Amino acid sequence: MSDFDTIAAISTPIGEGGIGIVRISGPEAFAIGKKVFTPRRQEGPGYPRSHYLYYGHVLSAEGEVIDEVLAAFMKAPRTYTREDIVEINCHSGVLTLRKVLNRVLEAGARLAQPGEFTRRAFLNGRIDLSQAESIMRIIRARSEEALRIGLSNLQGRLSREIGTIREKILTALSRIEARLDFPEDVDDELDLEREVKPELAEVAAMLSRLAAGAGRGHALQEGIYTAIIGKPNAGKSSLLNALLREERAIVHEIPGTTRDLLEGYLTVKGYPLCLADTAGIHRTDDPVEQKGIARAKAAVERARLLILVLDGSTGWSREDEEVAELIRPGQAVVIVINKIDLPQRLKPEEVRARLPGHPVVCTSAVHNLGLDQLEEAIGSLLDEKLGGREAESPAMVSLRHAGIVQEALALVQSVLEALSRQPLELLSMDLKEAWLKLGEITGETVSEELLDRIFSEFCIGK
Ligand SMILES: Nc1nc2c(ncn2[C@@H]2O[C@H](COP(=O)(O)OP(=O)(O)OP(=O)(O)O)[C@@H](O)[C@H]2O)c(=O)[nH]1
Ligand SMILES: [Mg+2]
């Protein structure tokens, strides 16, 4: 496989739809496009004009019509990949798109790998790596804020911030290196503390700011896994249905109704939640129920947010105690006292005393009471846990970026601490490493394996 052959793929989702696009990119794109596409009108010597839409047909090698299409020929470099591109707008039937793609492959293109079009945009210097990654994030964004972050990163926001930081590290590094290379030229009195420290302190502050926003950015991008837990019959499935405003889960007065995990998506105060309804947790001999309970416990492990449902009509029980013991220290929990439409045997004060430090909300899942308060409580708790809604949203959204920033921050901090004690060689080594690390975000110092890993997460055709 070469980076410069001609590739093709179906670039729209597979399924029935208005249009589906087969995209071809590379040096042979125009030749292949002309081979498979026949314009309806007789075209003159200027054919095909760049960035112009032609009406016509894709024909098989035998001259049979495969589809009626619109084709665009786009000359490099003003294209997505900076190579010649041909896009064929077909009727979006699974079979039609496959046939058109096969015809294109038969005419000399190679099937593109996942993310290969975007990888070429990166390799050809149209976008840097963080911009390439933000394209995937835009496609996958589950909340308005995540989409905004993705778009601002595509426009180069993160790259600019990282660029500034790397520039500052380089300045500090060059001052240290100057002392290393020409010790005699440098005034011994010259104070490293004065020369390098302010620059590096600023770098550390900028990196900390980026790191602080990472958790929130990531949560907004990926969604927050939220488990609804509680003893059998507390009303967990009813609450899921009430929050999703649809009859998703089976609700029944028989305890142990829910056996398997059931998930649904919901946006609460701008946070994308993946809500999981779980089996009621209690001791049981029923093997199916036991499996369900094991899944419920795994969901608790995985969850960033727990909605612990108590039955207000039954009072505190040992089963509630056992469920509450599953909460991990530091885990975000909202406690719900459900069934407030019935005579109450569980007071919020008692719950607060038993499980201190968590917000308590009263609801009736069957009468849709208290749901707004529940959403409020979830929103405030997540604001608190994820670092609040700053005026400016965080730039970072991927764990990869967060990891790199953390590593670079640790290196810069260690240099700052050891500035007057350590040999200059060591300081310079650490700074160089921080500079190189940060280059992995924009792709300036990135390895082939890392590129493979990043782009393999893309979909085919992007
Ligand atoms: N009165 C009243 N009944 C409720 C309320 N919420 C749930 N119920 C009833 O309680 C019973 C159990 O509800 P579910 O939602 O199935 O409870 P669950 O916690 O999912 O139960 P399992 O799946 O068995 O663990 C059903 O008969 C519901 O109609 C409520 O707010 N008020
Ligand atoms: Mg249930």
Side-chain angles (χ1 to χ4, degrees), residues 44-45 69 88 141 151 165 178 225 237 294 313 344 355 425 448 457:
V69 301
I88 307 174
L151 284 169
I165 293 172
Y225 194 77
S237 303
S313 69
Q344 293 296 288
L355 302 170
E425 284 85 348
E448 199 64 23
E457 282 181 40

Side-chain angles (χ1 to χ4, degrees), residues 233 235-238 249-252 256-259 277-280:
N233 232 18
K236 300 176 293 301
S237 303
S238 307
I250 299 172
V251 165
H252 203 276
T257 302
T258 306
R259 300 295 180 93
D277 178 26
T278 64

Side-chain angles (χ1 to χ4, degrees), residues 335-338 340 344 348 360-364 369-371 373:
I335 299 172
V336 171
I337 301 178
N338 189 38
I340 47 160
Q344 293 296 288
V360 178
V361 183
C362 298
T363 65
S364 166
L369 298 174
L371 298 177
Q373 286 88 326

Side-chain angles (χ1 to χ4, degrees), residues 15 57 153 157 191-192 218 312 337 367 386 405 430 458:
H57 294 92
N153 284 351
R157 176 169 156 211
D191 195 359
L192 257 189
H218 186 255
I337 301 178
H367 295 287
L386 298 173
V405 166
D430 279 356
F458 274 63

